[in-house]
Amino acid sequence: MSIEIAQKVIKEMKIKASEEMTNTYIDERVSYLLPQFEELAPFNLNQRKKGVPNENLIGWERLAAIETKNLKFTYPDERPENEREYGTALRQITALKKALKRATKTELKDNALYNPVNTIIKHFGNALSYQFASYKEKQNTRYRENVTERRQTSNRIEIDLTDSLKYAFNILTDIKNGQDANWLDVSCAIALATGRRMAEIHLSASFEQIDTYTVAFKGQLKGKNRKVKQGDKAVSLRDVIFKIPTLLPAELVCYGLQWLDNKGKRFESTEDPERVNRRFSKTLNEHCKQFDIFPSEERTYHKFRAAYFRTAIVNDSNVDPYDFTDFAKKVLGDDDENTINSYKRYEIKKNSVTRI
């Protein structure tokens, strides 16, 4: 066995040795639904949809209706009907779709049915989402209204990165000098310095230093299936290289990411990003509350992205602090204007340190 292969095996063992968070509801539903879909797969399209009565098989259309009832019962929304959003149920629908697709890679009895089973999963997922479409629209409408309200001048929040940036700098400097550190601090330091998502830092991201405060980032996850034009080619967003500013020396940021990898705190880039959420999300979201950038009730790992972005704007005199959509697309790779506009809620406090 080569050294590289041995290191990869050891790394995977380290990650698997730590218990990942489980989603019992999803596990149970996958164990029930996947065999149903596999039994339907050999039949024609209409039979897959409507079922095969003489074979005692339920079609995906009715299975989606049954799943809708299960979700509403398991994750009720007690508000009046016209206010219900079923937020938890909507999140579980997304998780169920992903889990079913993952399971087809390893759990099918007949691998020859892989494609038809995935087709059934797609139809089932679309039907299930349709059942909750009105609730999703209410959720989106409320989110847009909240974004509009929060970004009003009277509702803006000043944030000060001074202490957090100094702490992050010291953590990354310590590990660069051979000292030990809490991997949670290292992860948070990189998130603050680069604005990358948790799953990117712990799975897909690669950094290459360009200059003192700039890295080439590859491994964008949100919208990863979207293709963008580069020259005469359409390139998957995940393979696009973004030239991004850093709030800490690029050398330290690159070293920190490699340090996490060496410590077994990164998954292989080919793994499902959901593994990062199951394994690290709870721990990191709890730990990041020690970074006092935001009000205590708003401290989440993802908020490092907002702090980074608002600070990157301050550090670049060419960017309008309240008209930064193009800059966001360039630096964050994000074309969701609602999300981008939500960052207008935050302002960098006068005299705050914005780069070390």
Side-chain angles (χ1 to χ4, degrees):
M1 182 183 293
S2 70
I3 294 176
E4 287 185 0
I5 294 176
Q7 288 175 336
K8 181 177 178 180
V9 170
I10 292 171
K11 173 183 170 183
E12 185 64 17
M13 288 175 64
K14 283 182 180 179
I15 295 177
K16 286 184 177 179
S18 301
E19 184 180 354
E20 293 183 17
M21 292 173 63
T22 58
N23 189 329
T24 305
Y25 178 88
I26 298 301
D27 292 344
E28 290 177 352
R29 298 313 296 159
V30 169
S31 66
Y32 170 76
L33 289 167
L34 192 63
Q36 300 273 334
F37 295 157
E38 187 167 7
E39 289 190 57
L40 285 170
F43 294 93
N44 64 42
L45 295 178
N46 190 60
Q47 288 173 312
R48 294 176 190 173
K49 179 179 180 180
K50 298 297 184 181
V52 188
N54 60 334
E55 297 287 342
N56 200 28
L57 292 178
I58 303 173
W60 58 256
E61 185 177 54
R62 186 178 165 200
L63 285 170
I66 293 171
E67 196 62 34
T68 298
K69 293 180 180 178
N70 287 340
L71 285 163
K72 287 185 175 181
F73 178 79
T74 308
Y75 305 104
D77 188 329
E78 303 296 347
R79 290 173 291 185
E81 177 61 31
N82 64 339
E83 297 178 11
R84 290 176 185 170
E85 297 176 6
Y86 288 101
T88 303
L90 286 169
R91 289 192 294 274
Q92 289 290 63
I93 289 172
T94 301
L96 179 58
K97 291 178 184 178
K98 291 180 178 179
L100 283 167
K101 288 181 180 179
R102 280 198 308 272
T104 60
K105 297 177 181 179
T106 57
E107 303 299 325
L108 293 179
K109 295 178 181 178
D110 184 354
N111 289 329
L113 297 176
Y114 176 82
N115 287 328
V117 169
N118 271 286
T119 299
I120 293 171
I121 290 172
K122 180 180 179 180
H123 289 311
F124 167 83
N126 289 342
L128 188 56
S129 293
Y130 180 78
Q131 296 283 347
F132 284 84
S134 62
Y135 304 116
K136 182 63 176 176
E137 180 57 33
K138 289 176 189 175
Q139 189 182 72
N140 290 341
T141 299
R142 180 178 58 81
Y143 176 76
R144 287 192 294 268
E145 290 173 348
N146 286 344
V147 167
T148 300
E149 176 66 21
R150 287 179 176 181
R151 75 186 191 206
Q152 299 301 315
T153 303
S154 59
N155 292 324
R156 287 179 188 154
I157 295 175
E158 281 192 329
I159 57 176
D160 187 341
L161 278 69
T162 301
D163 290 343
S164 293
L165 271 180
K166 288 180 178 179
Y167 183 71
F169 175 81
N170 289 335
I171 288 294
L172 295 183
T173 300
D174 284 348
I175 62 171
K176 183 69 167 61
N177 292 335
Q179 299 179 41
D180 199 11
N182 186 335
W183 71 269
L184 297 167
D185 283 329
V186 175
S187 177
C188 290
I190 297 171
L192 176 58
T194 67
R196 298 312 101 178
R197 300 177 178 88
M198 186 187 299
E200 291 165 351
I201 290 172
H202 289 277
L203 185 144
S204 66
S206 67
F207 295 143
E208 183 177 339
Q209 183 176 357
I210 295 176
D211 58 35
T212 306
Y213 292 105
T214 312
V215 297
F217 158 68
K218 186 169 73 170
Q220 172 84 0
L221 283 181
K222 186 174 181 181
K224 59 183 179 294
N225 295 323
R226 192 169 83 244
K227 291 185 180 292
V228 295
K229 183 177 180 296
Q230 287 201 328
D232 59 352
K233 297 181 179 179
V235 181
S236 172
L237 196 62
R238 185 163 176 170
D239 295 324
V240 172
I241 295 175
F242 292 87
K243 182 180 177 182
I244 66 169
T246 60
L247 308 186
L248 297 174
E251 180 185 11
L252 293 181
V253 170
C254 294
Y255 186 87
L257 192 70
Q258 184 59 51
W259 185 91
L260 286 175
D261 197 51
N262 294 342
K263 295 294 182 180
K265 298 302 180 182
R266 299 191 76 218
F267 289 95
E268 291 296 323
S269 61
T270 53
E271 288 279 358
D272 185 341
E274 281 299 312
R275 288 196 68 188
V276 175
N277 292 329
R278 294 197 302 271
R279 175 64 189 93
F280 298 133
S281 181
K282 184 177 180 180
T283 307
L284 280 168
N285 275 304
E286 184 61 34
H287 187 79
C288 73
K289 296 183 187 301
Q290 298 177 28
F291 289 72
D292 59 354
I293 300 170
F294 296 96
S296 57
E297 69 276 8
E298 293 193 24
R299 294 175 193 171
T300 64
Y301 193 90
H302 195 70
K303 280 293 175 66
F304 285 131
R305 189 169 174 85
Y308 160 82
F309 183 61
R310 290 302 282 168
T311 308
I313 291 171
V314 171
N315 289 340
D316 190 333
S317 59
N318 295 317
V319 181
D320 186 321
Y322 291 101
D323 185 13
F324 44 63
T325 301
D326 289 341
F327 184 67
K329 292 178 181 179
K330 178 181 176 182
V331 172
L332 299 179
D334 203 332
D335 64 350
D336 182 347
E337 292 200 15
N338 284 326
T339 300
I340 294 169
N341 283 330
S342 71
Y343 298 143
K344 292 180 180 178
R345 185 185 185 197
Y346 304 106
E347 292 182 323
I348 304 301
K349 189 175 182 179
K350 185 178 180 180
N351 297 325
S352 169
V353 171
T354 59
R355 185 165 61 191
I356 298 178

